[in-house]
Amino acid sequence: MPGGAEAFELVVKFCYGVNFEITVDNVAMLRCAAEHLEMTEECKPGNLLGRTEAYLEEVALASLEGAVTLLRKSEELLPASEKAHLIGRCVDAIASITCGDNQFSVSLGTPGSVGYNGVSAASREVDDWCADELTALRIDTFQRVMIAMKARGFKGIAMGTLIMLYAQKSLRRLDMHGRDRKKMGAKQEHEKRVVLETIVSLLPREKNTMSVSFLSMLLRAAIYLDTTLACRLDLEKRMAAQLGQAVLDDLLIPSSSPEAGTAFDIDAVQRILTDYLDHEGEAAPRLDYNTDDDFSSVPSPPHNDVGQVGRLMESYLAEIASDANLSIETFAALAELIPERARFNEDGMYRAIDIYLKAHPHLIEGERKKVCRVMDCQKLSREACAHAAQNERLPVQTVVQVLYHEQRRLHGAATQPASAAPSYVGGESPALSYKPTSSFNSRQRSSVPDEVARLQRENDELRMELLRMKMRLRDPSVAFPAGAGGSNGAVGIPSSGKPPLPKKQGGSGGGGFMNSMSKKLGRITPFFRADALGGGRVRTKPPKDRRHSIS
């Protein structure tokens, strides 16, 4: 007997004329019991089957709340409810009401959020109860409801919200951060896998209907549950289409394969980036509103977010660089995949390389050169150049390249007029951002920019000379590129064209050079202290011709 003892008791009351009320909660089991006992109109007019049919048409299937409740009750009576055609009728009623009357919206608990038809969810929200009831259905029933609603015009944003709610409820007890699957039985794992694959097949095709974070959560679950390859590739392509909206946590996908070695699934991220680059710049459909306040899919102009994606991938490289099992080939392959147009400067790449070299201290010189080959030294900012020139983890060849390109940059700045502000990759010099106070008179105020620019150039030249001397002490066999030093390895003529600093007579070569630099640094004391270099006594009193230029 469908419905068990409760249904049998109500049937007996009906047969003996005892009054009872037919409600949404019991009409499903009464209809199935009448079908099972063949209590049709042919046996007696006004029989139980006819009574229940009238209630279904006039009450239960006439409202969204009634149809959803009836569907939930019918699920408990399978397969008898399917034989009585209750499941299909409930699905059709829900789809017709939600899409025909435009009265369904989902707010996800956020006041004023946009639901169906773009109207404020607070004004047209049925109830969170309806969404809770729909998302509590079995996966096969939920799939039938979504397909029927989509066929009747249910739009992407509202459908995506319902699917998101259903996925969160179904997969919330899934531990995707560990590799131990013994806590989950084979049957339960199979059920979770079927649910996830069905959810992915129901995802709307419109772009931006699902957040990247949600897609990342589904991909982690798909890798953990070992779903089909088509399911995982579908999620990766969806993430690639919205990679410009992703954050670092969205790409930190744990690796569930013990033979992978690394903590994160780097192959998946590499496929996502490759797919993004393949479709970069294409006009993608987006959701918009037409004059009838309805959703429409229209092509939007391509939004070039490649720079943001480049910074994201550099951050990802820096995050995974500390993994001791990350090979040089994998690191270099992912770094080389980032296009040049996405790398405005190389500071992020340098940071990732530095972290990798620090986490792998046993690399030989050739291996460190291979890692550093993915970085363009010409695009380093001044701060990164200063750090790289003193970084003992970098190979000597890379440090020489950094010094050489910095010298060329300084030479280009020195050839500009004194009044023109030099251009530096990675930002303006801190000294050039100096602004005079209101206490300066007009003559002094006009001379300050020229004075600051000249002092800054002298300071940069001295800093480069110091770095080259350090490199000479570190490795005497290093040969600097042309223009970066003399033929005998000594510091050559500065890029500004001035003669080299004179050596102090009667002292050693190294001491005379340091004392000479100390005296020159003494003339730019507003920015550096010469006595910090260990030189001799220097004059701290400014010369008369600019005694009042900088206080």
Side-chain angles (χ1 to χ4, degrees):
M1 169 71 78
E6 183 180 359
F8 180 77
E9 180 182 359
L10 293 178
V11 170
V12 171
K13 288 183 178 180
F14 177 80
C15 294
Y16 283 90
V18 179
N19 292 330
F20 66 93
E21 183 180 4
I22 299 178
T23 64
V24 178
D25 293 324
N26 61 21
V27 67
M29 62 179 177
L30 286 175
R31 174 65 179 81
C32 292
E35 182 81 17
H36 178 71
L37 298 174
E38 299 181 359
M39 301 176 66
T40 62
E41 297 293 316
E42 298 176 358
C43 298
K44 180 183 179 181
N47 211 338
L48 183 58
L49 195 148
R51 296 282 187 91
T52 54
E53 279 293 331
Y55 185 87
L56 289 174
E57 295 293 336
E58 297 175 7
V59 180
L61 297 177
S63 65
L64 180 61
E65 295 88 339
V68 172
T69 302
L70 182 61
L71 181 58
R72 287 292 312 279
K73 296 296 182 180
S74 299
E75 277 192 324
E76 302 172 0
L77 299 169
L78 287 171
S81 57
E82 191 68 65
K83 184 179 178 181
H85 306 291
L86 287 179
I87 300 291
R89 293 167 66 183
C90 292
V91 169
D92 292 339
I94 292 172
S96 300
I97 294 172
T98 55
C99 302
D101 297 336
N102 297 337
Q103 57 174 292
F104 187 75
S105 61
V106 182
S107 67
L108 280 176
T110 304
S113 60
V114 176
Y116 186 76
N117 269 359
V119 181
S120 174
S123 61
R124 190 173 277 190
E125 185 179 8
V126 174
D127 260 335
D128 287 340
W129 173 86
C130 287
D132 290 339
E133 291 293 307
L134 286 176
T135 54
L137 296 171
R138 292 176 14 156
I139 184 60
D140 53 343
T141 308
F142 181 78
Q143 182 182 21
R144 292 176 62 176
V145 173
M146 291 294 102
I147 293 175
M149 293 171 68
K150 185 178 181 180
R152 287 170 172 79
F154 199 58
K155 303 304 177 180
I157 292 179
M159 176 176 285
T161 305
L162 280 176
I163 295 174
M164 188 182 305
L165 284 172
Y166 191 92
Q168 289 174 349
K169 285 187 176 182
S170 304
L171 305 174
R172 59 186 172 186
R173 294 184 179 89
L174 187 62
D175 181 17
M176 294 175 290
H177 301 282
R179 300 182 181 182
D180 187 10
R181 300 188 182 182
K182 295 181 180 179
K183 298 179 181 179
M184 183 185 301
K187 181 180 179 181
Q188 185 182 5
E189 183 177 351
H190 174 73
E191 292 175 353
K192 295 285 186 182
R193 187 184 302 115
V194 171
V195 169
L196 181 56
E197 292 176 354
T198 305
I199 288 174
V200 173
S201 67
L202 292 174
L203 293 178
R205 289 295 173 184
E206 295 90 346
K207 188 179 179 181
N208 297 328
T209 55
M210 316 296 298
S211 67
V212 183
S213 299
F214 175 69
L215 295 173
S216 176
M217 185 271 290
L218 292 182
L219 181 58
R220 298 181 192 193
I223 294 175
Y224 179 78
L225 293 173
D226 194 20
T227 60
T228 62
L229 180 61
C231 176
R232 282 175 282 174
L233 292 178
D234 187 13
L235 290 171
E236 290 176 4
K237 290 182 179 296
R238 291 175 183 273
M239 289 186 63
Q242 301 176 216
L243 190 57
Q245 307 169 14
V247 296
L248 179 59
D249 288 342
D250 298 334
L251 300 181
L252 298 178
I253 303 170
S255 176
S256 60
S257 176
E259 59 271 9
T262 56
F264 299 105
D265 195 333
I266 302 175
D267 293 338
V269 176
Q270 192 167 354
R271 289 192 297 268
I272 291 172
L273 179 59
T274 302
D275 192 71
Y276 168 81
L277 296 176
D278 291 342
H279 298 87
E280 179 198 352
E282 293 183 359
R286 63 180 175 88
L287 291 179
D288 205 342
Y289 303 101
N290 58 22
T291 54
D292 297 328
D293 288 335
D294 196 3
F295 284 115
S296 61
S297 181
V298 297
S300 62
H303 176 64
N304 192 1
D305 51 7
V306 65
Q308 185 174 352
V309 172
R311 291 189 293 271
L312 173 65
M313 297 310 300
E314 288 174 348
S315 300
Y316 179 77
L317 278 173
E319 186 69 24
I320 66 174
S322 59
D323 194 331
N325 296 324
L326 180 62
S327 65
I328 298 176
E329 291 75 16
T330 303
F331 180 86
L334 186 58
E336 292 171 353
L337 198 58
I338 306 176
E340 290 292 331
R341 60 186 179 277
R343 294 155 64 170
F344 301 109
N345 63 36
E346 293 291 294
D347 288 9
M349 186 63 67
Y350 169 68
R351 174 173 172 264
I353 291 174
D354 187 40
I355 294 175
Y356 186 85
L357 295 179
K358 185 176 181 180
H360 302 77
H362 303 297
L363 297 179
I364 62 176
E365 185 79 5
E367 292 174 333
R368 287 186 288 148
K369 287 181 181 179
K370 186 175 181 180
V371 174
C372 295
R373 198 174 295 134
V374 301
M375 176 179 62
D376 186 0
C377 298
Q378 300 184 60
K379 292 185 179 182
L380 289 175
S381 66
R382 295 178 58 191
E383 292 77 8
C385 283
H387 187 278
Q390 305 178 56
N391 192 344
E392 297 182 354
R393 290 185 288 270
L394 296 179
V396 177
Q397 180 182 359
T398 302
V399 178
V400 172
Q401 290 178 359
V402 170
L403 293 175
Y404 173 67
H405 292 303
E406 180 70 6
Q407 183 70 15
R408 290 186 58 188
R409 184 187 305 171
L410 293 174
H411 177 71
T415 56
Q416 294 181 358
S419 59
S423 176
Y424 295 97
V425 176
E428 189 182 37
S429 169
L432 297 181
S433 62
Y434 173 79
K435 292 182 174 59
T437 60
S438 58
S439 62
F440 289 104
N441 56 40
S442 58
R443 180 184 62 83
Q444 293 168 332
R445 187 182 302 112
S446 62
S447 65
V448 166
D450 296 342
E451 183 74 11
V452 170
R454 185 177 65 81
L455 292 175
Q456 181 61 34
R457 286 196 298 271
E458 292 180 359
N459 174 41
D460 290 335
E461 292 168 4
L462 288 172
R463 181 167 59 86
M464 293 303 299
E465 291 173 0
L466 276 174
L467 293 175
R468 283 196 294 271
M469 289 298 296
K470 290 181 179 180
M471 284 298 302
R472 177 62 58 192
L473 293 175
R474 177 180 170 184
D475 191 350
S477 64
V478 175
F480 287 92
S487 59
N488 59 352
V491 177
I493 297 176
S495 59
S496 60
K498 297 180 182 179
L501 297 175
K503 296 182 179 180
K504 183 176 180 180
Q505 300 297 330
S508 62
F513 172 72
M514 294 301 295
N515 290 335
S516 176
M517 284 195 298
S518 300
K519 291 180 179 181
K520 193 167 184 179
L521 281 171
R523 295 196 296 271
I524 53 175
T525 51
F527 302 97
F528 294 92
R529 290 184 56 86
D531 54 355
L533 298 173
R537 292 179 300 172
V538 296
R539 182 179 61 184
T540 57
K541 184 177 180 180
K544 292 182 179 181
D545 56 344
R546 52 180 179 139
R547 181 173 299 171
H548 303 288
S549 61
I550 298 179
S551 57

PDB file of all heavy atoms in Angstrom, residues 130 135 182 286 382 534 544 547:
ATOM      1  N   CYS A 130      10.730  28.312  -0.506  1.00  0.00           N
ATOM      2  CA  CYS A 130      10.586  27.663  -1.818  1.00  0.00           C
ATOM      3  C   CYS A 130      11.940  27.207  -2.347  1.00  0.00           C
ATOM      4  O   CYS A 130      12.082  26.097  -2.872  1.00  0.00           O
ATOM      5  CB  CYS A 130       9.935  28.625  -2.810  1.00  0.00           C
ATOM      6  SG  CYS A 130       8.176  28.882  -2.507  1.00  0.00           S
ATOM      7  N   THR A 135      15.818  22.918  -3.468  1.00  0.00           N
ATOM      8  CA  THR A 135      17.189  22.425  -3.347  1.00  0.00           C
ATOM      9  C   THR A 135      17.289  21.190  -2.456  1.00  0.00           C
ATOM     10  O   THR A 135      18.370  20.624  -2.316  1.00  0.00           O
ATOM     11  CB  THR A 135      18.103  23.525  -2.791  1.00  0.00           C
ATOM     12  OG1 THR A 135      17.553  24.034  -1.570  1.00  0.00           O
ATOM     13  CG2 THR A 135      18.241  24.663  -3.784  1.00  0.00           C
ATOM     14  N   LYS A 182      39.257   7.369   2.815  1.00  0.00           N
ATOM     15  CA  LYS A 182      38.730   6.256   3.595  1.00  0.00           C
ATOM     16  C   LYS A 182      37.549   6.666   4.449  1.00  0.00           C
ATOM     17  O   LYS A 182      36.768   5.828   4.876  1.00  0.00           O
ATOM     18  CB  LYS A 182      39.841   5.672   4.469  1.00  0.00           C
ATOM     19  CG  LYS A 182      40.977   5.038   3.669  1.00  0.00           C
ATOM     20  CD  LYS A 182      42.042   4.460   4.579  1.00  0.00           C
ATOM     21  CE  LYS A 182      43.172   3.829   3.769  1.00  0.00           C
ATOM     22  NZ  LYS A 182      44.229   3.281   4.650  1.00  0.00           N
ATOM     23  N   ARG A 286      27.109  38.478 -22.794  1.00  0.00           N
ATOM     24  CA  ARG A 286      26.883  38.869 -21.405  1.00  0.00           C
ATOM     25  C   ARG A 286      25.401  39.122 -21.198  1.00  0.00           C
ATOM     26  O   ARG A 286      24.654  39.398 -22.155  1.00  0.00           O
ATOM     27  CB  ARG A 286      27.666  40.133 -21.053  1.00  0.00           C
ATOM     28  CG  ARG A 286      27.260  41.356 -21.847  1.00  0.00           C
ATOM     29  CD  ARG A 286      28.080  42.574 -21.433  1.00  0.00           C
ATOM     30  NE  ARG A 286      27.778  43.721 -22.261  1.00  0.00           N
ATOM     31  CZ  ARG A 286      26.809  44.595 -22.020  1.00  0.00           C
ATOM     32  NH1 ARG A 286      26.044  44.417 -20.965  1.00  0.00           N
ATOM     33  NH2 ARG A 286      26.600  45.612 -22.809  1.00  0.00           N
ATOM     34  N   ARG A 382      63.439  50.168 -10.181  1.00  0.00           N
ATOM     35  CA  ARG A 382      64.690  50.566  -9.544  1.00  0.00           C
ATOM     36  C   ARG A 382      64.868  49.856  -8.204  1.00  0.00           C
ATOM     37  O   ARG A 382      65.971  49.438  -7.844  1.00  0.00           O
ATOM     38  CB  ARG A 382      64.702  52.083  -9.351  1.00  0.00           C
ATOM     39  CG  ARG A 382      64.696  52.842 -10.665  1.00  0.00           C
ATOM     40  CD  ARG A 382      64.646  54.322 -10.426  1.00  0.00           C
ATOM     41  NE  ARG A 382      65.778  54.760  -9.616  1.00  0.00           N
ATOM     42  CZ  ARG A 382      65.862  55.979  -9.091  1.00  0.00           C
ATOM     43  NH1 ARG A 382      64.887  56.827  -9.254  1.00  0.00           N
ATOM     44  NH2 ARG A 382      66.928  56.315  -8.392  1.00  0.00           N
ATOM     45  N   GLY A 534      81.770  54.365   5.436  1.00  0.00           N
ATOM     46  CA  GLY A 534      83.049  54.047   6.039  1.00  0.00           C
ATOM     47  C   GLY A 534      84.192  54.874   5.494  1.00  0.00           C
ATOM     48  O   GLY A 534      85.364  54.516   5.655  1.00  0.00           O
ATOM     49  N   LYS A 544      78.597  77.563  -0.344  1.00  0.00           N
ATOM     50  CA  LYS A 544      77.885  78.839  -0.258  1.00  0.00           C
ATOM     51  C   LYS A 544      76.880  79.019  -1.390  1.00  0.00           C
ATOM     52  O   LYS A 544      75.849  79.634  -1.199  1.00  0.00           O
ATOM     53  CB  LYS A 544      78.901  79.980  -0.285  1.00  0.00           C
ATOM     54  CG  LYS A 544      79.774  80.038   0.968  1.00  0.00           C
ATOM     55  CD  LYS A 544      80.715  81.230   0.873  1.00  0.00           C
ATOM     56  CE  LYS A 544      81.590  81.303   2.139  1.00  0.00           C
ATOM     57  NZ  LYS A 544      82.511  82.471   2.089  1.00  0.00           N
ATOM     58  N   ARG A 547      73.781  77.068  -0.174  1.00  0.00           N
ATOM     59  CA  ARG A 547      73.655  76.841   1.260  1.00  0.00           C
ATOM     60  C   ARG A 547      72.205  76.808   1.694  1.00  0.00           C
ATOM     61  O   ARG A 547      71.840  76.097   2.609  1.00  0.00           O
ATOM     62  CB  ARG A 547      74.414  77.926   2.008  1.00  0.00           C
ATOM     63  CG  ARG A 547      74.378  77.790   3.534  1.00  0.00           C
ATOM     64  CD  ARG A 547      75.283  78.786   4.183  1.00  0.00           C
ATOM     65  NE  ARG A 547      76.670  78.582   3.765  1.00  0.00           N
ATOM     66  CZ  ARG A 547      77.649  79.456   4.063  1.00  0.00           C
ATOM     67  NH1 ARG A 547      77.394  80.553   4.739  1.00  0.00           N
ATOM     68  NH2 ARG A 547      78.885  79.228   3.664  1.00  0.00           N
TER      69      ARG A 547
END
